């Protein structure tokens, strides 16, 4: 669309610059000068009148000027639309780079949840040197948890464990509201499942219980 407008504008300028169109305004000026100096004979008036060809050229000039103005406006609008499209496309590419892995991340969250549950199921009092097999297993789970969180952080995936924080509906999902002693109303009292954010966008809200006034 932009290239077509440019061709029309150039053609319009070439027509407007033709010698015939340049002579027409000069003759009109001569006519106006003679009328100002005083009435002349009919023969002089006929001489100063435009010929049919000049009238046609003048009308075409007016039409071409109007077309030129219209094409210029269309050209400017086409440029603006092209720039808007380029900006939107660039934003979409950037979002795809940042959030294109969110489906894969969601699948990994389930693995992280299972790993966390496995760690919680191990009785801490039994993790001693007297029980080396259980201790080695537990230490391996801890090391795996630390490593997987490092990988998450590297790719912009951060854990949300909002216990004690003020409830945020954009990051937390309330499972229940109940009065909890020692907890301020409107704060997260219990976290049943941690949440995650990917590059600042909530990928999975934390499942929480919210304290309310008794």
């Amino acid at each position: 669309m932009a290239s077509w407008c440019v061709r029309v504008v150039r053609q319009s300028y070439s027509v407007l610059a033709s010698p015939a169109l340049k002579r027409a305004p000069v003759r009109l000026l001569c006519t106006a000068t003679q009328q100002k100096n005083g009435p002349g004979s009919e023969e002089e008036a006929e001489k100063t009148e435009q010929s049919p060809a000049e009238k046609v050229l003048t009308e075409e000039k007016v039409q071409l000027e109007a077309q030129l103005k219209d094409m210029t406006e269309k050209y400017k609008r086409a440029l603006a639309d092209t720039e808007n499209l380029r900006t939107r496309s660039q934003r979409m590419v950037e979002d795809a780079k940042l959030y294109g892995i969110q489906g894969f991340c969601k699948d990994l969250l389930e693995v992280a949840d299972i790993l966390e549950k496995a760690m919680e199921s191990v009785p801490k009092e039994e993790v001693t040197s007297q029980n080396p097999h259980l201790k080695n297993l537990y230490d391996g789970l801890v090391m795996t948890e630390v490593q997987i969180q490092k990988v998450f952080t590297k790719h912009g995936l951060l854990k949300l464990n909002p216990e004690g924080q003020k409830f945020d509906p954009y990051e937390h999902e309330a499972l229940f509201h109940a009065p909890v002693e020692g907890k301020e109303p409107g704060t997260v009292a219990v976290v049943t499942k941690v949440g995650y954010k990917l590059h600042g966008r909530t990928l999975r809200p934390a499942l929480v219980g919210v304290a309310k006034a008794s």
Side-chain angles (χ1 to χ4, degrees):
M1 176 64 181
S3 61
W4 176 76
C5 290
V6 171
R7 290 199 301 272
V8 173
V9 171
R10 289 178 177 173
Q11 292 174 0
S12 300
Y13 276 125
S14 64
V15 173
L16 292 176
S18 64
L21 289 180
K22 291 182 178 178
R23 289 197 299 270
V26 175
R27 295 184 180 181
L28 290 175
L29 181 60
C30 294
T31 302
T33 303
Q34 291 177 357
Q35 291 177 353
K36 182 178 180 181
N37 292 334
S41 63
E42 294 181 358
E43 293 180 357
E44 292 177 346
E46 291 177 356
K47 290 180 180 179
T48 58
E49 289 181 355
Q50 286 183 317
S51 66
E54 290 175 339
K55 288 182 180 180
V56 172
L57 289 176
T58 302
E59 292 176 357
E60 290 182 353
K61 177 183 177 183
V62 174
Q63 293 177 357
L64 287 173
E65 287 177 343
Q67 290 179 5
L68 175 62
K69 182 179 179 181
D70 183 57
M71 290 299 102
T72 303
E73 293 178 354
K74 289 181 178 180
Y75 174 67
K76 291 179 179 179
R77 288 197 297 269
L79 286 180
D81 292 341
T82 302
E83 179 62 21
N84 292 335
L85 178 61
R86 187 193 67 80
T87 303
R88 288 196 299 268
S89 300
Q90 184 177 359
R91 189 181 302 115
M92 291 174 62
V93 170
E94 292 174 354
D95 288 345
K97 290 180 180 178
L98 289 176
Y99 305 108
I101 61 172
Q102 65 181 6
F104 178 67
C105 289
K106 284 184 177 180
D107 293 337
L108 283 181
L109 295 186
E110 299 298 327
V111 178
D113 292 339
I114 294 172
L115 183 60
E116 186 175 357
K117 292 297 182 183
M119 292 172 56
E120 293 175 354
S121 65
V122 178
K124 302 299 186 297
E125 63 277 4
E126 296 185 12
V127 182
T128 62
S129 56
Q130 297 178 356
N131 197 348
H133 299 292
L134 182 59
K135 185 178 185 303
N136 292 337
L137 176 61
Y138 181 78
D139 290 343
L141 292 175
V142 172
M143 293 174 62
T144 304
E145 166 70 11
V146 171
Q147 187 61 33
I148 198 171
Q149 290 301 326
K150 285 183 179 179
V151 174
F152 286 171
T153 303
K154 178 181 178 181
H155 293 281
L157 189 62
L158 300 178
K159 180 189 289 188
L160 295 175
N161 192 349
E163 185 173 355
Q165 299 177 11
K166 192 165 185 64
F167 177 75
D168 185 350
Y170 294 102
E171 297 183 357
H172 315 143
E173 181 179 341
L175 298 179
F176 62 89
H177 292 76
V180 180
E181 186 177 355
K183 296 290 185 179
E184 183 180 353
T187 59
V188 176
V190 180
V191 178
T192 60
K193 194 173 187 178
V194 296
Y196 284 88
K197 295 179 73 173
L198 178 62
H199 295 293
R201 179 186 296 179
T202 301
L203 183 63
R204 187 183 74 183
L207 304 182
V208 300
V210 183
K212 71 174 185 178
S214 56

